[in-house]
Amino acid sequence: MFKVFVYDDYEGLSQKAFEVMEEVVKQGKVTLGLATGSSPVGLYKRLVEAHKNGLTFKDVQSFNLDEYVGLSKDHDQSYYHFMFEHLFKHVDFNLENVHLPKGEGSLEEVVAEYEAMLSENPQDLQLLGIGSNGHIGFNEPGTSFDSTVHVIRLKEETRQDNARFFSSIEEVPNFAITMGIKDILRAKKILLVASGKNKAMAIKEMLEGKIREEVPCTILQNHPDVIVVLDKEAASLIQHD
Ligand code: GLP
């Protein structure tokens, strides 16, 4: 079930997303599923501010959705680097409790280990962005709804969308490792944030489209508790009552 909130701008949506996550973090010993991308940056900024005012992450553990294959932890476009720069280094997470799938080494082992950890530690809250093609995590169109942690070849449109962070399209990795759809759905609560016109169609499909593997986000219709936080542009194609 979806609860949809629409705000005039990115600041508004970031504040709402922050409030949802803060409430969970305040419970103390919780498990968060975290996401990268430009969408959650405003939320992370607010978490950092709240930490300065006493919000603590010392008992929180986290699992990130995904990572590029082939980028080392310290590559400036690795998701590890992103998380470290936007959140981890500014707050009091115990770094032993933060987990991202490693995009290097024996991927088979990484897949098995990450899946084992996830299935033993269901997320109290899973944060999601959304791809313009409807992907969640890096579960690209066509991914099985039964998927668990896996390596995936990125679609050309996803590489194009993410090319803005790299110096050229050739540098965007072709593969990523991601939580599967099943791992995402295990979360008690899901918080999905999206802003901008290029997300409008994916959001419409997610809320109103037929549930199908060609549009991965549509499976969220089957989850009991999804908070969707949008700006006006991302919400521009949805029907209002
Ligand atoms: C990437 C990530 C997704 C993210 C999406 C949207 O492909 N793997 O988890 O949701 O991008 O990113 P942005 O928020 O930058 O639009």
Side-chain angles (χ1 to χ4, degrees):
M1 221 194 58
F2 293 112
K3 279 195 204 110
V4 182
F5 299 85
V6 181
Y7 295 88
D8 280 347
D9 56 22
Y10 184 68
E11 294 308 311
L13 83 84
S14 298
Q15 180 61 27
K16 172 66 182 176
F18 161 71
E19 285 162 17
V20 172
M21 189 165 280
E22 182 192 32
E23 202 182 304
V24 175
V25 172
K26 276 185 171 165
Q27 292 163 21
K29 205 168 179 318
V30 291
T31 300
L32 298 178
L34 296 178
T36 52
S38 40
S39 309
V41 168
L43 154 64
Y44 291 153
K45 231 167 83 188
R46 284 167 173 76
L47 289 175
V48 171
E49 280 309 306
H51 172 64
K52 289 182 192 150
N53 296 316
L55 184 69
T56 178
F57 295 80
K58 67 180 171 41
D59 295 323
V60 176
Q61 67 170 343
S62 71
F63 291 91
N64 260 76
L65 282 166
D66 46 18
E67 179 59 282
Y68 287 117
V69 167
L71 301 191
S72 66
K73 271 181 168 181
D74 49 11
H75 188 289
D76 66 354
Q77 288 311 322
S78 76
Y79 286 166
Y80 183 90
H81 187 263
F82 176 99
M83 290 308 301
F84 201 76
E85 290 302 313
H86 287 94
L87 186 63
F88 298 155
K89 82 172 186 194
H90 305 288
V91 300
D92 61 345
F93 265 107
N94 176 349
L95 285 183
E96 280 173 15
N97 294 337
V98 308
H99 309 279
L100 286 97
K102 219 164 82 195
E104 290 187 309
S106 158
L107 295 181
E108 234 169 83
E109 273 173 34
V110 177
V111 164
E113 276 170 24
Y114 209 57
E115 182 57 37
M117 279 198 285
L118 282 170
S119 53
E120 280 163 25
N121 296 278
Q123 311 92 308
D124 293 287
L125 179 68
Q126 174 65 55
L127 174 63
L128 293 178
I130 191 167
S132 60
N133 64 6
H135 74 223
I136 47 178
F138 264 136
N139 292 283
E140 293 281 35
T143 303
S144 164
F145 286 155
D146 284 329
S147 55
T148 51
V149 177
H150 62 285
V151 173
I152 189 150
R153 175 183 278 279
L154 299 179
K155 297 273 185 200
E156 211 34 49
E157 65 252 29
T158 298
R159 294 185 67 246
Q160 294 285 355
D161 282 351
N162 291 354
R164 66 189 192 279
F165 300 114
F166 292 81
S167 44
S168 71
I169 180 81
E170 289 75 38
E171 287 184 25
V172 184
N174 285 300
F175 291 90
I177 179 164
T178 182
M179 280 190 201
I181 299 286
K182 239 183 167 170
D183 303 304
I184 291 172
L185 293 181
R186 213 181 278 126
K188 278 193 205 127
K189 190 194 255 309
I190 292 177
L191 168 62
L192 186 139
V193 289
S195 72
K197 262 225 133 51
N198 69 325
K199 302 294 173 73
M201 189 43 103
I203 293 296
K204 182 182 172 62
E205 284 284 357
M206 176 179 86
L207 299 174
E208 300 165 7
K210 187 171 165 293
I211 301 178
R212 58 202 197 280
E213 289 178 346
E214 292 70 46
V215 190
C217 59
T218 57
I219 192 62
L220 298 176
Q221 291 177 24
N222 283 347
H223 190 281
D225 189 2
V226 186
I227 311 242
V228 182
V229 187
L230 307 171
D231 68 359
K232 279 193 300 211
E233 283 78 28
S236 58
L237 297 178
I238 63 181
Q239 286 172 5
H240 295 280
D241 356 297

